[in-house]
Amino acid sequence: MAVTTRSLTLPAALLILVLFPLFGSSFYVGLLTRILILAIFAMSLDLLIGYTGLVSFGHAAFFGIGGYALAIAFQDATTIHLWQALPLSLAAALAALVVGWISIRTSGIYFIMITLAFGQMFFYYFFESPRYGGDDGIFLFFKPVLMIGTESILNLENENTFYYFALGCLVTGYLLLAMILRAPFGKVITAIKANEHRVRALGYSINRYKLVSFVIAGTLAGLAGFLEGAHSGYVNPSYMSWHSSGIAIAIAIVVLGGMGTLYGPIVGAFIVVLLQDFLPSLTEHWQLLFGGIVISVALFLPRGATSLLPRILSRRQTTRPDSPPPEDGPREPADG
Amino acid sequence: MELSFYLVQLLNAIQYGFLLFLVASGLTLLFGIMGIINLAHGSFYMIGAYLAYGLTEMTGSLWLGILLGLPIALLVGYLVERFAISFLYKRDHLYQVLLTFALILIFNELQQILWGTDVHGVAIPAPLAGSIPLTENQSYPVYRLFISAVCIAIAGGMSWVIQKTRLGMMIRAGASNREMVQALGIDVNRLFALVFSLGVALAAFAGMLAAPVDSVYPGMGENVLIISFVVVVIGGTGSIKGAFIGAMLIGLVSTFGKVLLPEMASIMAYALMALILLWRPQGLFGRAH
């Protein structure tokens, strides 16, 4: 019953996530909230690198812009109304439209580098701007609330409420992306990743498709940055940095989890955050271990940790040849 | 502000541009010949600076430090190519980015294990420690002129090797058509190992030269790395001439940017790159594909 096991994995995982705050301590609820937020960010990056074939090195900028939009608009406010604040993450969509419009004209290493250049421009803009706190960034002392009249319906000050809100955002994002990918648009962008020239020969305007994909991914990254800013209570330029906490880690999350699938980045976010939480307790020089793990996965398991699941299931299947073969995961990317 | 002030800035810009050129020339060859995006290239600059610091402490002379450090850098380059980079030639850019990023983490940890997290300085060797007076209150340090002079010599030597020697012929051929070079029976694996090790040695040498003027600190490689990529992309991948022009442009823009428009200085180099890519998506001297 390999196929049934597999189709049950997602609902079971969701159930565990929904029930978690009933058992977990508030520290772990907070940690898990961070994982869920990063998962949204990684999922949006996967739409670019795993589905559209665009290795964007500036994606962290949209994450940062989502956070900064919230922080700049509400840094002096005593109440942050969610219905006013949430649309601000659309600032990232606008930035993605401009950056994407320019960047998609290039390809290969030039695309990686021009997106990196834009990412660095946003990073330094906020890093050197005294108005937005420069290096220190901006602190937010309140969390958003949803109120009707004077009645508060959803107060994110409560750790559990925030957790469910983030989970809701992740599930909504997942379903939206799944829908987009199932639609003709999704077929076209996956085809662009597989063979750009052929898609162009079929008469599609590939730049338009790439741009739409870039903007959708940027918007979702903005939402994740918005959540991160609201959750941690501060926004600073490190949101947009290319190493340590920024884009390189996000790429690690996507590849470690398994790119080209929507659940891969979610699993990857769990793996990476838990590793970053656990490894420092082993040794002071934990980055050595982390680097080693990243290298081994990228070399020996290029389709990520989630590619192990169908492999384990298909091994079980060999003992039972009558059951249908499990659907294979995404194929390895074409060699460059 | 008088003329001599601008002269000092100009000399600084040129010296900075030359150091960038040393790092970027290796990077551009790696990409042009092997098709590798090497994020860890900045780490070799850092390793060079730390080698200069460590060996100078040990031997008491920067010259001995550099003399001993260069073979070590070559060896490091060779080992890294054999045990990490050579697995990447046939991989997607994405995996190259990820693996070389992991290498940065590893090099940074090793640096902290070996030398700790303190900021260090290296003394300028005595004969070059003075400065040349330009006006009453403006002078220019001799060591900086020395850096530029050494870099000019290296750039000249490189241009000679690439234009006139058999190795240079293979490098040029490799940059323009990798498969053809292989088909002609040239041992590509050896060529790749050699070019990579030389690139590492150049980056490390830049770090060694820069150690006395900049301080030696953890994470110094990352700052150089990104700006070197900007240089490579502006010049066009695989082009040494492009890397040279790109390095000088970035040297000028960042030095004069700091003087004339301090709050926008860091952004300007990236903005320049974006503009150039808009105009020529393959860089100034890159071939269109």
Side-chain angles (χ1 to χ4, degrees):
Chain A
M1 304 303 277
V3 176
T4 331
T5 323
R6 190 158 178 245
S7 54
L8 278 178
T9 317
L10 269 178
L14 187 61
L15 189 68
I16 294 173
L17 285 177
V18 168
L19 295 180
F20 184 80
L22 300 179
F23 308 104
S25 68
S26 82
F27 171 78
Y28 283 103
V29 173
L31 186 72
L32 216 56
T33 309
R34 245 186 70 220
I35 295 179
L36 296 179
I37 293 170
L38 261 181
I40 299 175
F41 178 47
M43 215 162 62
S44 75
L45 182 65
D46 192 31
L47 176 67
L48 291 181
I49 64 181
Y51 287 100
T52 323
L54 293 170
V55 182
S56 170
F57 229 61
H59 204 54
F62 309 126
F63 183 74
I65 288 170
Y68 268 103
L70 166 74
I72 291 168
F74 291 97
Q75 56 180 326
D76 300 319
T78 49
T79 337
I80 303 174
H81 291 285
L82 194 62
W83 59 271
Q84 286 175 339
L86 204 54
L88 282 173
S89 58
L90 286 176
L94 192 66
L97 183 68
V98 176
V99 171
W101 186 77
I102 297 172
S103 307
I104 52 169
R105 282 143 211 275
T106 61
S107 61
I109 185 190
Y110 293 99
F111 180 80
I112 300 179
M113 289 304 143
I114 198 167
T115 47
L116 173 67
F118 279 114
Q120 292 290 98
M121 273 158 71
F122 282 113
F123 172 82
Y124 281 115
Y125 177 73
F126 286 103
F127 188 82
E128 286 180 359
S129 130
R131 194 150 40 118
Y132 303 136
D135 195 4
D136 296 328
I138 304 173
F139 286 86
L140 279 168
F141 300 102
F142 304 95
K143 291 200 176 6
V145 285
L146 186 62
M147 303 216 299
I148 293 182
T150 51
E151 196 69 34
S152 110
I153 301 174
L154 199 65
N155 189 348
L156 298 185
E157 212 68 62
N158 181 313
E159 189 67 62
N160 283 354
T161 313
F162 203 116
Y163 173 82
Y164 284 118
F165 185 67
L167 186 61
C169 287
L170 177 66
V171 171
T172 313
Y174 185 97
L175 294 176
L176 267 176
L177 285 183
M179 228 166 68
I180 288 170
L181 289 167
R182 201 169 280 188
F185 173 80
K187 305 290 176 213
V188 176
I189 58 168
T190 16
I192 288 176
K193 179 175 194 266
N195 191 331
E196 193 175 315
H197 300 292
R198 209 173 278 182
V199 179
R200 185 181 290 147
L202 286 172
Y204 289 98
S205 155
I206 52 168
N207 277 3
R208 202 177 300 164
Y209 281 89
K210 281 183 180 174
L211 183 59
V212 172
S213 173
F214 198 87
V215 173
I216 294 172
T219 314
L220 209 52
L223 172 68
F226 171 89
L227 290 172
E228 176 68 23
H231 183 239
S232 63
Y234 63 85
V235 179
N236 63 33
S238 77
Y239 276 45
M240 306 184 174
S241 73
W242 70 272
H243 54 109
S244 60
S245 55
I247 188 69
I249 290 291
I251 290 181
I253 289 176
V254 174
V255 178
L256 254 53
M259 64 168 180
T261 63
L262 287 178
Y263 50 84
I266 302 175
V267 175
F270 272 89
I271 297 176
V272 168
V273 173
L274 292 180
L275 277 179
Q276 286 182 333
D277 200 55
F278 163 71
L279 289 179
S281 67
L282 292 182
T283 158
E284 186 191 342
H285 303 291
W286 63 277
Q287 301 256 32
L288 216 56
L289 296 174
F290 185 66
I293 292 172
V294 170
I295 290 184
S296 350
V297 172
L299 281 182
F300 304 114
L301 208 63
R303 278 155 51 195
T306 48
S307 69
L308 280 175
L309 186 63
R311 223 184 271 184
I312 293 166
L313 294 179
S314 67
R315 187 169 301 158
R316 192 184 299 168
Q317 187 222 335
T318 51
T319 61
R320 221 183 305 182
D322 51 332
S323 59
E327 190 192 324
D328 208 0
R331 293 205 288 138
E332 261 180 71
D335 284 338
Chain B
M1 282 186 235
E2 65 234 278
L3 201 63
S4 67
F5 173 78
Y6 286 102
L7 179 68
V8 168
Q9 296 307 324
L10 183 67
L11 287 171
N12 277 340
I14 291 173
Q15 178 249 312
Y16 180 49
F18 271 125
L19 281 181
L20 279 181
F21 169 68
L22 288 192
V23 181
S25 55
L27 207 54
T28 201
L29 283 182
L30 287 191
F31 192 81
I33 299 183
M34 313 179 192
I36 288 275
I37 298 182
N38 179 19
L39 290 185
H41 207 67
S43 301
F44 302 127
Y45 177 82
M46 174 193 76
I47 289 173
Y50 270 97
L51 278 176
Y53 160 72
L55 293 169
T56 307
E57 292 278 289
M58 239 157 66
T59 60
S61 146
L62 179 67
W63 310 127
L64 268 177
I66 290 180
L67 214 63
L68 291 172
L70 276 179
I72 298 180
L74 269 174
L75 184 71
V76 169
Y78 180 76
L79 292 177
V80 169
E81 200 273 343
R82 277 297 81 175
F83 294 108
I85 306 291
S86 61
F87 293 104
L88 296 179
Y89 295 136
K90 292 217 153 64
R91 295 274 185 146
D92 200 72
H93 288 329
L94 185 66
Y95 290 98
Q96 299 174 353
V97 163
L98 189 63
L99 276 155
T100 52
F101 168 67
L103 281 182
I104 295 185
L105 297 181
I106 290 175
F107 282 132
N108 280 350
E109 279 300 346
L110 289 177
Q111 171 266 315
Q112 296 202 358
I113 291 171
L114 285 172
W115 289 292
T117 52
D118 291 341
V119 176
H120 297 288
V122 176
I124 296 173
L128 301 174
S131 48
I132 300 168
L134 295 173
T135 57
E136 289 149 37
N137 44 20
Q138 292 271 359
S139 63
Y140 198 75
V142 178
Y143 186 76
R144 282 179 185 267
L145 286 178
F146 168 75
I147 293 182
S148 294
V150 171
C151 290
I152 290 173
I154 291 181
M158 262 170 70
S159 141
W160 178 77
V161 167
I162 287 180
Q163 299 301 331
K164 303 281 180 203
T165 65
R166 193 178 152 74
L167 171 68
M169 215 160 66
M170 290 196 279
I171 290 177
R172 274 181 294 141
S176 75
N177 193 335
R178 220 179 315 160
E179 286 80 16
M180 190 57 84
V181 170
Q182 216 159 348
L184 287 172
I186 287 163
D187 187 348
V188 197
N189 288 340
R190 242 179 59 199
L191 180 66
F192 284 5
L194 187 67
V195 171
F196 190 85
S197 312
L198 285 176
V200 169
L202 278 175
F205 187 60
M208 291 172 188
L209 281 179
V213 278
D214 289 331
S215 41
V216 180
Y217 57 97
M220 64 188 292
E222 274 98 278
N223 296 335
V224 172
L225 171 78
I226 298 293
I227 204 77
S228 301
F229 265 119
V230 171
V231 167
V232 168
V233 169
I234 285 180
T237 53
S239 164
I240 294 278
K241 186 165 72 174
F244 185 78
I245 305 278
M248 286 303 152
L249 273 177
I250 293 296
L252 287 171
V253 165
S254 20
T255 310
F256 282 97
K258 264 177 212 146
V259 179
L260 302 173
L261 272 172
E263 67 275 20
M264 298 293 284
S266 315
I267 298 180
M268 279 169 68
Y270 301 102
L272 176 73
M273 163 175 157
L275 278 177
I276 287 182
L277 282 188
L278 268 181
W279 168 49
R280 278 181 69 89
Q282 72 279 24
L284 290 177
F285 295 93
R287 284 168 308 123
H289 23 214

